Amino acid sequence: MATVQEELISLFTAIDQAFVEVQSQFPEAVKCGRGCDDCCRAVFDVSLVEAVALASVMGSLAEDVRELALIRAAEAAAAWDKLDTGDSTDDLAKGRIRCPLLGEDGLCICYDARPVNCRTYGIPTVIGGAGHACGFSGFESGIDYPTVNLQQLQDILLDLSVRLAGQKEGGRRWPVAKVLLAPDEIFAVLK
């Protein structure tokens, strides 16, 4: 039987393959590439299993890279709290916060452990019956495209997280910045 970690890697691999498939079918519409970091400014939180993967990779980074990410994480956490506590009239989904994992070179410092939202950004997705696509993509409204069902992916992540830590702790979610700032809290909830 596969471990939760192995299942997460399989899920990430399947998502990456789906992205490549859509990109190969609609190369003019998928605008993702080196230097485009719109997805690195989207506001979202991650499941426990994704948080564990990120916290694990962060621990293996060079100290200077990790220190800069922690400085940026503190800034991002403050911005998140402002959005999340209602101090801002902005809709959370429309908020923009620079991901603390975005390196100086415009690339993700934890690319292999990047969350599902990062992996699907740039191709059409659907969640709660509403379709979404990156604003910089060439996907046109009113045209049918293959889509990734984010709810199904979130359900799988929840199942993996519950298997790691039980129902209560497995259902918790964290902003990426808070994962980086409090990795001990993440690891403490594991069974």
Side-chain angles (χ1 to χ4, degrees):
M1 179 177 236
T3 66
V4 169
Q5 174 73 12
E6 290 167 337
E7 288 184 50
L8 180 64
I9 291 168
S10 292
L11 178 65
F12 283 171
T13 300
I15 293 167
D16 293 346
Q17 289 170 344
F19 188 99
V20 168
E21 191 173 309
V22 172
Q23 188 175 36
S24 69
Q25 290 177 21
F26 303 95
E28 71 291 345
V30 179
K31 306 288 183 171
C32 302
R34 205 176 217 25
C36 181
D37 61 8
D38 187 58
C39 56
C40 303
R41 296 171 194 285
V43 177
F44 62 91
D45 53 16
V46 297
S47 65
L48 173 63
V49 71
E50 293 171 297
V52 168
L54 287 173
S56 296
V57 170
M58 271 296 288
S60 68
L61 296 175
E63 188 175 336
D64 61 327
V65 173
R66 204 170 45 249
E67 285 177 11
L68 183 56
L70 291 174
I71 290 168
R72 290 189 174 141
E75 295 166 357
W80 173 276
D81 288 342
K82 185 176 179 186
L83 285 173
D84 194 38
T85 60
D87 292 345
S88 171
T89 58
D90 293 332
D91 178 10
L92 198 58
K94 294 179 183 174
R96 307 301 286 165
I97 299 174
R98 184 189 198 281
C99 180
L101 299 174
L102 182 59
E104 289 299 305
D105 57 2
L107 302 176
C108 180
I109 63 172
C110 292
Y111 187 79
D112 289 338
R114 71 195 186 284
V116 165
N117 283 5
C118 305
R119 291 171 187 274
T120 58
Y121 205 95
I123 62 173
T125 60
V126 64
I127 191 163
H132 305 275
C134 170
F136 293 109
S137 73
F139 293 103
E140 298 177 34
S141 182
I143 297 177
D144 286 336
Y145 296 102
T147 59
V148 172
N149 185 326
L150 288 177
Q151 188 59 57
Q152 288 178 337
L153 297 177
Q154 292 302 326
D155 290 345
I156 294 168
L157 293 169
L158 175 61
D159 177 64
L160 294 173
S161 296
V162 166
R163 287 173 40 206
L164 270 180
Q167 191 67 39
K168 180 181 175 189
E169 295 297 340
R172 290 180 60 192
R173 297 185 63 86
W174 290 268
V176 170
K178 293 185 181 182
V179 170
L180 305 185
L181 294 171
D184 292 343
E185 181 182 334
I186 304 300
F187 293 121
V189 303
L190 301 178
K191 287 183 180 177

